[in-house]
């Protein structure tokens, strides 16, 4: 069973960009490999939540790693390819809208992160997980890192892989369900998306029916 640890930084402890200090500290203690894991898509009304796990090669760390939310689309796409080229191991897992509705978004996100870690071709000895929770079910030690995508390069790499993968999935979905404009808002609750829902209704197994406004509408 994974031993759970948490790490809550002070505001001024955050580096300008994520670095490799946590990973190198683990290496000095004989703990390696270390993987970072993060997810993308907790907030949207539609689409999956996508998680990624990444083990970086300490000798070939990709340039430009950062919190994916602070990067442009073009920057994420470029670094995505570099991560795939240079990382020791990368894996991706997702939970669909139906799975999210059956539990809740927090549980679905953590489950996807755990599955991503287990799908790695190299078994990690320590998992650095973005946020305040450690994914349950890990077979190694885990450490929750608040704002981890701004602190750890391994977590930042996972955040980029998850974000780019999810955006590509939603863009592909847009070509099938053309009335919803998923390539423009990626399933988030923009005015355009809400207008499309009002006009065409929610899509089964794609919209998260446990989220507002669907849940609120059902209660009326």
């Amino acid at each position: 069973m994974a031993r759970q640890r948490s790490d809550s930084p002070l505001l001024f402890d955050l580096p300008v960009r994520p670095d490799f200090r946590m990973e190198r500290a683990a290496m000095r203690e004989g703990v390696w490999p270390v993987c970072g894991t993060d997810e993308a898509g907790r907030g949207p009304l539609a689409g999956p939540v996508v998680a990624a796990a990444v083990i970086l090669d300490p000798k070939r760390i990709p340039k430009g790693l950062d919190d994916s939310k602070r990067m442009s689309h073009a920057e994420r796409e470029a670094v995505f390819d570099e991560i795939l080229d240079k990382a020791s191991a990368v894996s991706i897992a997702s939970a669909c809208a139906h799975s999210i509705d059956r539990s809740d978004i927090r549980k679905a996100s953590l489950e996807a992160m755990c599955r991503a870690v287990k799908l790695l071709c190299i078994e990690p000895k320590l998992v650095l997980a973005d946020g305040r929770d450690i994914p349950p079910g890990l077979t190694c030690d885990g450490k929750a890192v608040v704002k981890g995508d701004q602190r750890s390069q391994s977590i930042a790499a996972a955040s980029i892989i998850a974000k780019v993968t999810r955006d590509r999935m939603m863009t592909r979905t847009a070509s099938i369900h053309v009335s919803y404009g998923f390539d423009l808002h990626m399933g988030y609750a923009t005015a355009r998306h809400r207008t499309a829902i009002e006009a065409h209704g929610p899509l089964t197994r794609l919209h998260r029916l446990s989220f507002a406004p669907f849940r609120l509408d059902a209660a009326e």
Side-chain angles (χ1 to χ4, degrees):
M1 184 180 211
R3 183 172 71 251
Q4 298 195 0
R5 291 182 282 169
S6 181
D7 185 1
S8 299
L10 296 173
L11 176 62
F12 299 107
D13 287 341
L14 290 174
V16 176
R17 295 177 74 94
D19 54 40
F20 210 62
R21 282 185 292 180
M22 280 184 276
E23 292 89 339
R24 293 197 186 283
M27 291 175 68
R28 288 194 294 270
E29 295 176 4
V31 179
W32 190 260
V34 175
C35 93
T37 185
D38 198 2
E39 50 71 29
R42 286 187 68 150
L45 299 179
V49 60
V50 176
V54 177
I55 298 175
L56 292 175
D57 181 344
K59 298 179 180 179
R60 302 179 71 218
I61 296 176
K63 296 180 180 179
L65 291 174
D66 200 354
D67 175 359
S68 62
K69 297 183 292 296
R70 303 197 299 198
M71 302 170 70
S72 69
H73 173 79
E75 288 172 335
R76 287 194 297 267
E77 288 284 341
V79 178
F80 177 93
D81 290 338
E82 192 172 359
I83 294 168
L84 294 184
D85 179 55
K86 293 183 176 180
S88 298
V90 177
S91 63
I92 302 166
S94 66
C96 68
H98 183 61
S99 296
I100 294 168
D101 289 338
R102 284 189 304 175
S103 55
D104 59 55
I105 186 59
R106 174 181 167 276
K107 291 179 182 177
S109 298
L110 292 172
E111 179 184 346
M113 291 166 75
C114 182
R115 283 194 286 114
V117 171
K118 290 182 177 181
L119 286 170
L120 287 166
C121 62
I122 300 172
E123 185 175 355
K125 296 294 179 61
L126 173 65
V127 174
L128 303 177
D130 183 58
R132 297 183 179 278
D133 299 304
I134 296 171
L138 296 177
T139 57
C140 64
D141 285 349
K143 181 176 182 180
V145 185
V146 176
K147 295 188 180 297
D149 45 11
Q150 298 180 31
R151 304 179 64 199
S152 159
Q153 288 180 324
S154 297
I155 297 176
S159 79
I160 293 166
I161 295 293
K163 172 64 175 169
V164 171
T165 300
R166 186 180 189 280
D167 283 357
R168 291 179 179 180
M169 293 170 72
M170 297 307 294
T171 298
R172 178 64 182 272
T173 301
S175 68
I176 301 170
H177 302 288
V178 295
S179 300
Y180 292 83
F182 289 121
D183 56 326
L184 302 175
H185 52 67
M186 303 303 167
Y188 283 88
T190 64
R192 174 170 181 151
H193 190 190
R194 287 179 175 273
T195 298
I197 293 170
E198 291 174 3
H200 306 288
L203 293 165
T204 303
R205 301 184 71 86
L206 186 61
H207 280 102
R208 303 174 182 180
L209 301 181
S210 59
F211 279 37
F214 313 113
R215 178 169 44 81
L216 295 179
D217 291 343
E220 291 178 355

